[in-house]
mmCIF file of all heavy atoms in Angstrom:
data_model
loop_
_atom_site.group_PDB
_atom_site.id
_atom_site.type_symbol
_atom_site.label_atom_id
_atom_site.label_comp_id
_atom_site.label_asym_id
_atom_site.label_seq_id
_atom_site.Cartn_x
_atom_site.Cartn_y
_atom_site.Cartn_z
ATOM 1 N N VAL E 1 0.830 -1.203 -0.001
ATOM 2 C CA VAL E 1 0.004 0.012 -0.007
ATOM 3 C C VAL E 1 0.864 1.249 -0.011
ATOM 4 O O VAL E 1 0.677 2.181 -0.815
ATOM 5 C CB VAL E 1 -0.934 0.015 1.225
ATOM 6 C CG1 VAL E 1 -1.743 1.306 1.280
ATOM 7 C CG2 VAL E 1 -1.849 -1.196 1.235
ATOM 8 N N LEU E 2 1.842 1.300 0.881
ATOM 9 C CA LEU E 2 2.647 2.506 1.043
ATOM 10 C C LEU E 2 3.439 2.861 -0.208
ATOM 11 O O LEU E 2 3.737 4.025 -0.469
ATOM 12 C CB LEU E 2 3.609 2.340 2.243
ATOM 13 C CG LEU E 2 2.937 2.084 3.596
ATOM 14 C CD1 LEU E 2 3.980 1.942 4.679
ATOM 15 C CD2 LEU E 2 1.937 3.161 3.929
ATOM 16 N N SER E 3 3.774 1.842 -1.010
ATOM 17 C CA SER E 3 4.534 2.109 -2.235
ATOM 18 C C SER E 3 3.724 2.891 -3.265
ATOM 19 O O SER E 3 4.289 3.432 -4.219
ATOM 20 C CB SER E 3 5.013 0.777 -2.840
ATOM 21 O OG SER E 3 3.914 -0.023 -3.221
ATOM 22 N N ARG E 4 2.426 2.974 -3.061
ATOM 23 C CA ARG E 4 1.562 3.676 -4.002
ATOM 24 C C ARG E 4 1.254 5.111 -3.555
ATOM 25 O O ARG E 4 0.545 5.834 -4.233
ATOM 26 C CB ARG E 4 0.259 2.909 -4.178
ATOM 27 C CG ARG E 4 0.448 1.466 -4.645
ATOM 28 C CD ARG E 4 -0.868 0.780 -4.955
ATOM 29 N NE ARG E 4 -1.544 1.386 -6.107
ATOM 30 C CZ ARG E 4 -2.675 0.915 -6.606
ATOM 31 N NH1 ARG E 4 -3.267 -0.143 -6.042
ATOM 32 N NH2 ARG E 4 -3.258 1.522 -7.639
ATOM 33 N N VAL E 5 1.813 5.501 -2.395
ATOM 34 C CA VAL E 5 1.574 6.860 -1.899
ATOM 35 C C VAL E 5 2.660 7.788 -2.449
ATOM 36 O O VAL E 5 3.845 7.462 -2.430
ATOM 37 C CB VAL E 5 1.577 6.876 -0.370
ATOM 38 C CG1 VAL E 5 1.351 8.306 0.163
ATOM 39 C CG2 VAL E 5 0.520 5.940 0.173
ATOM 40 N N ASN E 6 2.243 8.957 -2.960
ATOM 41 C CA ASN E 6 3.190 9.897 -3.513
ATOM 42 C C ASN E 6 2.742 11.328 -3.159
ATOM 43 O O ASN E 6 1.744 11.527 -2.441
ATOM 44 C CB ASN E 6 3.313 9.717 -5.035
ATOM 45 C CG ASN E 6 1.951 9.758 -5.714
ATOM 46 O OD1 ASN E 6 1.155 10.679 -5.511
ATOM 47 N ND2 ASN E 6 1.659 8.746 -6.536
ATOM 48 N N ASP E 7 3.457 12.319 -3.655
ATOM 49 C CA ASP E 7 3.118 13.701 -3.350
ATOM 50 C C ASP E 7 1.710 14.065 -3.822
ATOM 51 O O ASP E 7 1.039 14.907 -3.240
ATOM 52 C CB ASP E 7 4.123 14.658 -3.987
ATOM 53 C CG ASP E 7 5.489 14.578 -3.312
ATOM 54 O OD1 ASP E 7 5.553 14.003 -2.215
ATOM 55 O OD2 ASP E 7 6.470 15.112 -3.885
ATOM 56 N N GLY E 8 1.257 13.438 -4.909
ATOM 57 C CA GLY E 8 -0.035 13.778 -5.460
ATOM 58 C C GLY E 8 -1.234 13.270 -4.670
ATOM 59 O O GLY E 8 -2.314 13.851 -4.727
ATOM 60 N N ASN E 9 -1.032 12.169 -3.906
ATOM 61 C CA ASN E 9 -2.174 11.610 -3.166
ATOM 62 C C ASN E 9 -1.907 11.507 -1.667
ATOM 63 O O ASN E 9 -2.692 10.895 -0.935
ATOM 64 C CB ASN E 9 -2.540 10.211 -3.708
ATOM 65 C CG ASN E 9 -1.404 9.190 -3.585
ATOM 66 O OD1 ASN E 9 -0.474 9.355 -2.783
ATOM 67 N ND2 ASN E 9 -1.450 8.150 -4.383
ATOM 68 N N ARG E 10 -0.812 12.143 -1.190
ATOM 69 C CA ARG E 10 -0.419 11.996 0.210
ATOM 70 C C ARG E 10 -1.501 12.539 1.156
ATOM 71 O O ARG E 10 -1.833 11.921 2.174
ATOM 72 C CB ARG E 10 0.891 12.750 0.477
ATOM 73 C CG ARG E 10 1.526 12.427 1.808
ATOM 74 C CD ARG E 10 2.823 13.196 2.005
ATOM 75 N NE ARG E 10 3.722 13.051 0.877
ATOM 76 C CZ ARG E 10 4.500 11.987 0.680
ATOM 77 N NH1 ARG E 10 4.496 11.022 1.572
ATOM 78 N NH2 ARG E 10 5.308 11.922 -0.348
ATOM 79 N N TYR E 11 -2.074 13.706 0.805
ATOM 80 C CA TYR E 11 -3.098 14.297 1.667
ATOM 81 C C TYR E 11 -4.325 13.383 1.739
ATOM 82 O O TYR E 11 -4.854 13.085 2.824
ATOM 83 C CB TYR E 11 -3.485 15.684 1.173
ATOM 84 C CG TYR E 11 -4.684 16.236 1.919
ATOM 85 C CD1 TYR E 11 -4.520 16.785 3.170
ATOM 86 C CD2 TYR E 11 -5.962 16.182 1.345
ATOM 87 C CE1 TYR E 11 -5.639 17.281 3.877
ATOM 88 C CE2 TYR E 11 -7.077 16.650 2.040
ATOM 89 C CZ TYR E 11 -6.889 17.211 3.314
ATOM 90 O OH TYR E 11 -7.983 17.673 4.007
ATOM 91 N N GLN E 12 -4.810 12.911 0.554
ATOM 92 C CA GLN E 12 -5.995 12.057 0.535
ATOM 93 C C GLN E 12 -5.751 10.764 1.313
ATOM 94 O O GLN E 12 -6.622 10.265 2.024
ATOM 95 C CB GLN E 12 -6.394 11.742 -0.919
ATOM 96 C CG GLN E 12 -7.017 12.879 -1.679
ATOM 97 C CD GLN E 12 -5.970 13.871 -2.197
ATOM 98 O OE1 GLN E 12 -4.768 13.606 -2.143
ATOM 99 N NE2 GLN E 12 -6.421 14.990 -2.697
ATOM 100 N N PHE E 13 -4.531 10.220 1.174
ATOM 101 C CA PHE E 13 -4.192 8.977 1.890
ATOM 102 C C PHE E 13 -4.210 9.200 3.376
ATOM 103 O O PHE E 13 -4.806 8.403 4.140
ATOM 104 C CB PHE E 13 -2.829 8.486 1.433
ATOM 105 C CG PHE E 13 -2.366 7.233 2.134
ATOM 106 C CD1 PHE E 13 -3.002 6.015 1.899
ATOM 107 C CD2 PHE E 13 -1.346 7.280 3.065
ATOM 108 C CE1 PHE E 13 -2.585 4.876 2.572
ATOM 109 C CE2 PHE E 13 -0.906 6.154 3.724
ATOM 110 C CZ PHE E 13 -1.534 4.943 3.486
ATOM 111 N N ASP E 14 -3.598 10.275 3.847
ATOM 112 C CA ASP E 14 -3.539 10.558 5.274
ATOM 113 C C ASP E 14 -4.964 10.746 5.832
ATOM 114 O O ASP E 14 -5.300 10.201 6.889
ATOM 115 C CB ASP E 14 -2.728 11.816 5.520
ATOM 116 C CG ASP E 14 -2.522 12.117 7.002
ATOM 117 O OD1 ASP E 14 -1.863 11.292 7.667
ATOM 118 O OD2 ASP E 14 -3.039 13.139 7.498
ATOM 119 N N GLN E 15 -5.791 11.481 5.118
ATOM 120 C CA GLN E 15 -7.171 11.692 5.562
ATOM 121 C C GLN E 15 -7.959 10.381 5.550
ATOM 122 O O GLN E 15 -8.711 10.089 6.506
ATOM 123 C CB GLN E 15 -7.857 12.722 4.670
ATOM 124 C CG GLN E 15 -7.296 14.130 4.805
ATOM 125 C CD GLN E 15 -7.662 14.773 6.130
ATOM 126 O OE1 GLN E 15 -8.829 14.922 6.458
ATOM 127 N NE2 GLN E 15 -6.665 15.132 6.930
ATOM 128 N N ALA E 16 -7.793 9.580 4.499
ATOM 129 C CA ALA E 16 -8.509 8.309 4.409
ATOM 130 C C ALA E 16 -8.085 7.360 5.515
ATOM 131 O O ALA E 16 -8.919 6.634 6.075
ATOM 132 C CB ALA E 16 -8.265 7.662 3.051
ATOM 133 N N CYS E 17 -6.800 7.399 5.874
ATOM 134 C CA CYS E 17 -6.299 6.537 6.968
ATOM 135 C C CYS E 17 -6.999 6.849 8.272
ATOM 136 O O CYS E 17 -7.420 5.978 9.014
ATOM 137 C CB CYS E 17 -4.789 6.698 7.123
ATOM 138 S SG CYS E 17 -3.792 5.869 5.876
ATOM 139 N N ARG E 18 -7.108 8.138 8.592
ATOM 140 C CA ARG E 18 -7.719 8.571 9.832
ATOM 141 C C ARG E 18 -9.181 8.118 9.904
ATOM 142 O O ARG E 18 -9.622 7.533 10.909
ATOM 143 C CB ARG E 18 -7.656 10.086 9.938
ATOM 144 C CG ARG E 18 -6.247 10.645 9.992
ATOM 145 C CD ARG E 18 -6.270 12.120 9.601
ATOM 146 N NE ARG E 18 -4.937 12.713 9.595
ATOM 147 C CZ ARG E 18 -4.512 13.610 10.488
ATOM 148 N NH1 ARG E 18 -5.318 14.002 11.451
ATOM 149 N NH2 ARG E 18 -3.310 14.110 10.417
ATOM 150 N N VAL E 19 -9.899 8.389 8.818
ATOM 151 C CA VAL E 19 -11.344 8.089 8.816
ATOM 152 C C VAL E 19 -11.563 6.583 8.891
ATOM 153 O O VAL E 19 -12.399 6.094 9.668
ATOM 154 C CB VAL E 19 -12.006 8.665 7.561
ATOM 155 C CG1 VAL E 19 -13.428 8.179 7.422
ATOM 156 C CG2 VAL E 19 -11.949 10.190 7.613
ATOM 157 N N LYS E 20 -10.806 5.810 8.119
ATOM 158 C CA LYS E 20 -10.996 4.348 8.109
ATOM 159 C C LYS E 20 -10.589 3.752 9.452
ATOM 160 O O LYS E 20 -11.260 2.810 9.954
ATOM 161 C CB LYS E 20 -10.243 3.687 6.962
ATOM 162 C CG LYS E 20 -10.366 2.165 6.982
ATOM 163 C CD LYS E 20 -9.953 1.546 5.650
ATOM 164 C CE LYS E 20 -11.042 1.674 4.619
ATOM 165 N NZ LYS E 20 -10.769 0.857 3.404
ATOM 166 N N ALA E 21 -9.550 4.239 10.057
ATOM 167 C CA ALA E 21 -9.106 3.715 11.342
ATOM 168 C C ALA E 21 -10.196 3.906 12.405
ATOM 169 O O ALA E 21 -10.531 3.003 13.181
ATOM 170 C CB ALA E 21 -7.827 4.403 11.795
ATOM 171 N N VAL E 22 -10.803 5.093 12.420
ATOM 172 C CA VAL E 22 -11.858 5.389 13.415
ATOM 173 C C VAL E 22 -13.094 4.516 13.114
ATOM 174 O O VAL E 22 -13.676 3.914 14.009
ATOM 175 C CB VAL E 22 -12.227 6.875 13.390
ATOM 176 C CG1 VAL E 22 -13.480 7.130 14.202
ATOM 177 C CG2 VAL E 22 -11.069 7.718 13.895
ATOM 178 N N ALA E 23 -13.474 4.468 11.822
ATOM 179 C CA ALA E 23 -14.677 3.699 11.462
ATOM 180 C C ALA E 23 -14.498 2.211 11.779
ATOM 181 O O ALA E 23 -15.391 1.562 12.321
ATOM 182 C CB ALA E 23 -14.975 3.875 9.979
ATOM 183 N N THR E 24 -13.303 1.657 11.500
ATOM 184 C CA THR E 24 -13.061 0.241 11.751
ATOM 185 C C THR E 24 -13.011 -0.046 13.242
ATOM 186 O O THR E 24 -13.546 -1.032 13.716
ATOM 187 C CB THR E 24 -11.755 -0.214 11.076
ATOM 188 O OG1 THR E 24 -11.792 0.145 9.683
ATOM 189 C CG2 THR E 24 -11.584 -1.721 11.190
ATOM 190 N N ALA E 25 -12.361 0.828 13.986
ATOM 191 C CA ALA E 25 -12.289 0.663 15.450
ATOM 192 C C ALA E 25 -13.694 0.635 16.060
ATOM 193 O O ALA E 25 -14.000 -0.190 16.918
ATOM 194 C CB ALA E 25 -11.447 1.776 16.067
ATOM 195 N N ALA E 26 -14.540 1.559 15.600
ATOM 196 C CA ALA E 26 -15.911 1.590 16.109
ATOM 197 C C ALA E 26 -16.679 0.307 15.723
ATOM 198 O O ALA E 26 -17.397 -0.235 16.557
ATOM 199 C CB ALA E 26 -16.617 2.832 15.578
ATOM 200 N N ARG E 27 -16.501 -0.125 14.480
ATOM 201 C CA ARG E 27 -17.198 -1.343 14.037
ATOM 202 C C ARG E 27 -16.783 -2.558 14.843
ATOM 203 O O ARG E 27 -17.617 -3.458 15.129
ATOM 204 C CB ARG E 27 -16.919 -1.578 12.536
ATOM 205 C CG ARG E 27 -17.532 -2.859 11.988
ATOM 206 C CD ARG E 27 -17.361 -2.961 10.497
ATOM 207 N NE ARG E 27 -15.969 -2.939 10.075
ATOM 208 C CZ ARG E 27 -15.129 -3.958 10.124
ATOM 209 N NH1 ARG E 27 -15.557 -5.151 10.603
ATOM 210 N NH2 ARG E 27 -13.879 -3.857 9.724
ATOM 211 N N LEU E 28 -15.520 -2.622 15.236
ATOM 212 C CA LEU E 28 -15.003 -3.754 16.010
ATOM 213 C C LEU E 28 -15.336 -3.649 17.491
ATOM 214 O O LEU E 28 -15.014 -4.552 18.254
ATOM 215 C CB LEU E 28 -13.487 -3.841 15.822
ATOM 216 C CG LEU E 28 -12.998 -4.201 14.421
ATOM 217 C CD1 LEU E 28 -11.476 -4.093 14.338
ATOM 218 C CD2 LEU E 28 -13.447 -5.604 14.008
ATOM 219 N N GLY E 29 -15.951 -2.536 17.896
ATOM 220 C CA GLY E 29 -16.292 -2.380 19.291
ATOM 221 C C GLY E 29 -15.122 -2.031 20.193
ATOM 222 O O GLY E 29 -15.122 -2.350 21.398
ATOM 223 N N MET E 30 -14.108 -1.360 19.654
ATOM 224 C CA MET E 30 -12.933 -1.013 20.421
ATOM 225 C C MET E 30 -13.298 -0.023 21.532
ATOM 226 O O MET E 30 -13.954 0.963 21.314
ATOM 227 C CB MET E 30 -11.862 -0.372 19.526
ATOM 228 C CG MET E 30 -10.534 -0.109 20.200
ATOM 229 S SD MET E 30 -9.350 0.712 19.091
ATOM 230 C CE MET E 30 -9.145 -0.540 17.810
ATOM 231 N N THR E 31 -12.872 -0.349 22.752
ATOM 232 C CA THR E 31 -13.119 0.540 23.905
ATOM 233 C C THR E 31 -11.815 1.130 24.447
ATOM 234 O O THR E 31 -11.849 1.998 25.317
ATOM 235 C CB THR E 31 -13.836 -0.222 25.030
ATOM 236 O OG1 THR E 31 -13.058 -1.378 25.429
ATOM 237 C CG2 THR E 31 -15.226 -0.681 24.573
ATOM 238 N N SER E 32 -10.696 0.659 23.959
ATOM 239 C CA SER E 32 -9.405 1.190 24.378
ATOM 240 C C SER E 32 -9.080 2.460 23.563
ATOM 241 O O SER E 32 -9.863 2.911 22.734
ATOM 242 C CB SER E 32 -8.310 0.131 24.123
ATOM 243 O OG SER E 32 -8.115 -0.010 22.719
ATOM 244 N N TYR E 33 -7.900 3.026 23.831
ATOM 245 C CA TYR E 33 -7.398 4.083 22.944
ATOM 246 C C TYR E 33 -7.127 3.501 21.557
ATOM 247 O O TYR E 33 -6.817 2.299 21.422
ATOM 248 C CB TYR E 33 -6.113 4.680 23.512
ATOM 249 C CG TYR E 33 -6.324 5.594 24.692
ATOM 250 C CD1 TYR E 33 -6.148 5.116 25.978
ATOM 251 C CD2 TYR E 33 -6.678 6.937 24.514
ATOM 252 C CE1 TYR E 33 -6.335 5.956 27.078
ATOM 253 C CE2 TYR E 33 -6.863 7.768 25.594
ATOM 254 C CZ TYR E 33 -6.693 7.266 26.886
ATOM 255 O OH TYR E 33 -6.884 8.115 27.946
ATOM 256 N N LEU E 34 -7.226 4.351 20.551
ATOM 257 C CA LEU E 34 -6.890 3.997 19.160
ATOM 258 C C LEU E 34 -5.685 4.818 18.749
ATOM 259 O O LEU E 34 -5.710 6.072 18.823
ATOM 260 C CB LEU E 34 -8.051 4.294 18.255
ATOM 261 C CG LEU E 34 -7.773 4.296 16.738
ATOM 262 C CD1 LEU E 34 -7.373 2.905 16.261
ATOM 263 C CD2 LEU E 34 -8.990 4.795 15.953
ATOM 264 N N SER E 35 -4.612 4.176 18.345
ATOM 265 C CA SER E 35 -3.380 4.852 17.966
ATOM 266 C C SER E 35 -3.254 4.904 16.446
ATOM 267 O O SER E 35 -3.238 3.861 15.794
ATOM 268 C CB SER E 35 -2.155 4.185 18.572
ATOM 269 O OG SER E 35 -1.013 5.008 18.454
ATOM 270 N N ILE E 36 -3.194 6.113 15.885
ATOM 271 C CA ILE E 36 -3.125 6.321 14.450
ATOM 272 C C ILE E 36 -1.846 7.045 14.084
ATOM 273 O O ILE E 36 -1.482 8.055 14.703
ATOM 274 C CB ILE E 36 -4.319 7.160 13.951
ATOM 275 C CG1 ILE E 36 -5.655 6.535 14.355
ATOM 276 C CG2 ILE E 36 -4.269 7.344 12.422
ATOM 277 C CD1 ILE E 36 -6.856 7.407 14.074
ATOM 278 N N ASN E 37 -1.135 6.550 13.087
ATOM 279 C CA ASN E 37 0.058 7.235 12.593
ATOM 280 C C ASN E 37 -0.344 8.290 11.581
ATOM 281 O O ASN E 37 -1.224 8.078 10.770
ATOM 282 C CB ASN E 37 0.993 6.205 11.945
ATOM 283 C CG ASN E 37 1.488 5.214 12.944
ATOM 284 O OD1 ASN E 37 2.506 5.404 13.599
ATOM 285 N ND2 ASN E 37 0.742 4.114 13.123
ATOM 286 N N PHE E 38 0.315 9.449 11.650
ATOM 287 C CA PHE E 38 -0.036 10.489 10.693
ATOM 288 C C PHE E 38 1.242 10.983 9.998
ATOM 289 O O PHE E 38 2.348 10.785 10.451
ATOM 290 C CB PHE E 38 -0.774 11.647 11.398
ATOM 291 C CG PHE E 38 0.116 12.568 12.198
ATOM 292 C CD1 PHE E 38 0.578 13.756 11.677
ATOM 293 C CD2 PHE E 38 0.423 12.244 13.514
ATOM 294 C CE1 PHE E 38 1.370 14.600 12.439
ATOM 295 C CE2 PHE E 38 1.219 13.086 14.290
ATOM 296 C CZ PHE E 38 1.684 14.289 13.737
ATOM 297 N N LEU E 39 1.024 11.653 8.832
ATOM 298 C CA LEU E 39 2.106 12.166 8.019
ATOM 299 C C LEU E 39 2.175 13.684 8.173
ATOM 300 O O LEU E 39 1.289 14.392 7.674
ATOM 301 C CB LEU E 39 1.870 11.792 6.560
ATOM 302 C CG LEU E 39 1.627 10.319 6.260
ATOM 303 C CD1 LEU E 39 1.313 10.104 4.782
ATOM 304 C CD2 LEU E 39 2.840 9.494 6.657
ATOM 305 N N PRO E 40 3.173 14.209 8.852
ATOM 306 C CA PRO E 40 3.229 15.663 9.091
ATOM 307 C C PRO E 40 3.157 16.500 7.823
ATOM 308 O O PRO E 40 2.523 17.569 7.800
ATOM 309 C CB PRO E 40 4.569 15.866 9.818
ATOM 310 C CG PRO E 40 4.850 14.542 10.457
ATOM 311 C CD PRO E 40 4.280 13.517 9.520
ATOM 312 N N ASN E 41 3.802 16.049 6.758
ATOM 313 C CA ASN E 41 3.775 16.829 5.509
ATOM 314 C C ASN E 41 2.445 16.755 4.754
ATOM 315 O O ASN E 41 2.289 17.419 3.741
ATOM 316 C CB ASN E 41 4.910 16.375 4.575
ATOM 317 C CG ASN E 41 6.233 17.019 4.978
ATOM 318 O OD1 ASN E 41 6.367 17.600 6.032
ATOM 319 N ND2 ASN E 41 7.239 16.869 4.120
ATOM 320 N N ALA E 42 1.529 15.915 5.268
ATOM 321 C CA ALA E 42 0.185 15.886 4.679
ATOM 322 C C ALA E 42 -0.765 16.820 5.423
ATOM 323 O O ALA E 42 -1.934 16.923 5.044
ATOM 324 C CB ALA E 42 -0.367 14.463 4.708
ATOM 325 N N VAL E 43 -0.261 17.477 6.445
ATOM 326 C CA VAL E 43 -1.098 18.371 7.239
ATOM 327 C C VAL E 43 -0.750 19.809 6.865
ATOM 328 O O VAL E 43 0.373 20.257 7.066
ATOM 329 C CB VAL E 43 -0.898 18.170 8.744
ATOM 330 C CG1 VAL E 43 -1.712 19.172 9.552
ATOM 331 C CG2 VAL E 43 -1.241 16.743 9.150
ATOM 332 N N TYR E 44 -1.703 20.504 6.271
ATOM 333 C CA TYR E 44 -1.470 21.887 5.844
ATOM 334 C C TYR E 44 -1.713 22.863 7.004
ATOM 335 O O TYR E 44 -0.848 23.627 7.373
ATOM 336 C CB TYR E 44 -2.365 22.234 4.647
ATOM 337 C CG TYR E 44 -2.064 21.383 3.430
ATOM 338 C CD1 TYR E 44 -2.589 20.114 3.287
ATOM 339 C CD2 TYR E 44 -1.216 21.861 2.453
ATOM 340 C CE1 TYR E 44 -2.291 19.325 2.179
ATOM 341 C CE2 TYR E 44 -0.906 21.092 1.350
ATOM 342 C CZ TYR E 44 -1.445 19.824 1.225
ATOM 343 O OH TYR E 44 -1.148 19.056 0.123
#
């Protein structure tokens, strides 16, 4: 997956990662903390 990330889609990828991580954690019934990695250069 990571090999397909580049400057043109970095922002979309970072945003999609956050949303999917939260959605999947909720679907799985996670009650603990959720730790998400983020890309600083994708944050404007």
